[in-house]
């Protein structure tokens, strides 16, 4: 008589197989794998940015820092906040401050009426919403194509700018997201 085996033994892994898989998983993070694929495809010094409009100018922030893009919701006004803070919104139970990015950067456009919000996360894991006029596309810009902001730009606006990139004969201002999230605008109240 041939011994009948349990048909489920082929489905479940043995203990030594599980340990090997866990080690392999720890060595390959999903983010690292995606980064490696992007670097092989576009080059090691190429980054992806979300390209958007504020007023009549073109700006960008790192694509991997954007958690989601939403339409504006009920905004709760908060007393005694800087003029660039539109208020707070509730996003899946979390309170998220909402910044009018054009006001923060000193632009004179009416971005307070915008309906698009980029929900972004800073390096300190703080989440904020940035109101923008219009999203254009995702661009890939080489680090070599990004120049530092010119010295003639006023110091209080320069701190928010990582650099100025070129993409298809257009200059795009690349924002330093951590400076924007953690920044205070002098004189804003």
């Amino acid at each position: 008589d041939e011994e009948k085996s349990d048909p489920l033994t082929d489905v479940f892994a043995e203990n030594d197989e599980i340990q090997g898989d866990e080690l392999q998983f720890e060595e390959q993070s999903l983010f690292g794998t995606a980064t490696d694929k992007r670097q092989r495809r576009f080059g090691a010094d190429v980054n992806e940015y979300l390209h958007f409009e504020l007023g009549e100018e073109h700006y960008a922030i790192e694509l991997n820092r954007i958690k989601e893009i939403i339409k504006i919701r009920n905004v709760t006004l908060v007393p005694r906040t800087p003029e660039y803070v539109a208020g707070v919104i509730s996003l899946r139970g979390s309170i998220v401050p909402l910044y009018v990015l054009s006001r923060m950067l000193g632009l004179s456009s009416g971005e307070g009426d915008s309906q698009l919000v980029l929900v972004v996360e800073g390096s300190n894991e703080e989440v904020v919403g940035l109101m923008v006029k219009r999203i254009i596309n995702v661009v890939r810009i080489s680090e070599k194509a990004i120049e530092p902001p010119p010295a003639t730009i006023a110091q209080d606006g320069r701190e928010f700018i990582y650099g100025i990139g070129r993409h298809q004969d257009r200059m795009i201002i690349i924002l330093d997201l951590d400076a924007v999230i953690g920044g205070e605008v002098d004189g804003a109240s």
Side-chain angles (χ1 to χ4, degrees), residues 33 53 72 86 90 99 101 103 116 118 120-121 124 129 180:
T33 302
E53 277 185 359
I72 200 163
S90 177
Y99 292 1
L101 195 51
R103 289 184 197 157
L116 288 176
L118 308 178
V120 298
E121 184 173 7
N124 62 357
V180 169

Side-chain angles (χ1 to χ4, degrees), residues 82-134:
E83 77 171 2
Y84 63 86
V85 177
V88 294
I89 58 174
S90 177
L91 186 63
R92 284 181 287 292
S94 297
I95 303 300
V96 176
L98 190 60
Y99 292 1
V100 182
L101 195 51
S102 61
R103 289 184 197 157
M104 182 174 228
L105 298 174
L107 303 174
S108 60
S109 64
E111 244 47 69
D113 300 328
S114 176
Q115 297 297 308
L116 288 176
V117 176
L118 308 178
V119 180
V120 298
E121 184 173 7
S123 59
N124 62 357
E125 297 182 8
E126 181 179 0
V127 176
V128 301
L130 303 175
M131 296 173 68
V132 300
K133 179 179 177 181
R134 181 172 73 103

Side-chain angles (χ1 to χ4, degrees), residues 32-51:
T33 302
T35 301
D36 293 343
K37 286 179 184 175
R38 181 190 56 78
Q39 287 178 349
R40 283 194 302 272
R41 184 171 174 199
F42 304 119
D45 72 332
V46 175
N47 293 316
E48 294 180 306
Y49 298 91
L50 183 69
H51 177 200

